[in-house]
Amino acid sequence: TSTFLSQKPKSELVRTSLRLLTSSAYRLQSECKKTLPVESCPTTDIQLVTQQVIQCAYDIAKAAKQLVTITTKENNN
């Protein structure tokens, strides 16, 4: 783990972004598992799973962008 993530973030914005990043990553993993032959069943709605994967990926990108923006501002101060 990087030093940044192992330290307790001071900023509430950073904590919020990290929570979004972590929860979205877990959701993404869970949704992707549904597409595996072992986990999938005849009732699996692949279109719905695909939409969920896209939403998770979007949330991860959003959280990462927030973290970059916050840390860039903090480093410039």
Side-chain angles (χ1 to χ4, degrees), residues 8-55:
K8 185 173 177 167
K10 296 174 187 151
S11 162
E12 183 58 37
L13 259 134
V14 171
R15 285 194 295 272
T16 301
S17 297
L18 287 174
R19 278 193 295 271
L20 177 60
L21 190 58
T22 304
S23 64
S24 298
Y26 281 119
R27 278 184 51 225
L28 180 60
Q29 183 182 29
S30 172
E31 294 297 333
C32 287
K33 279 184 180 178
K34 293 178 186 176
T35 65
L36 298 175
V38 177
E39 300 243 345
S40 59
C41 60
T43 59
T44 301
D45 184 347
I46 294 300
Q47 280 188 325
L48 179 61
V49 171
T50 302
Q51 288 173 353
Q52 293 300 320
V53 167
I54 291 168
Q55 183 61 51

Side-chain angles (χ1 to χ4, degrees), residues 42-77:
T43 59
T44 301
D45 184 347
I46 294 300
Q47 280 188 325
L48 179 61
V49 171
T50 302
Q51 288 173 353
Q52 293 300 320
V53 167
I54 291 168
Q55 183 61 51
C56 292
Y58 174 81
D59 289 341
I60 289 170
K62 179 180 169 183
K65 182 180 179 193
Q66 287 173 349
L67 286 172
V68 169
T69 302
I70 293 163
T71 54
T72 301
K73 284 180 183 177
E74 287 179 356
N75 289 339
N76 288 337
N77 288 339

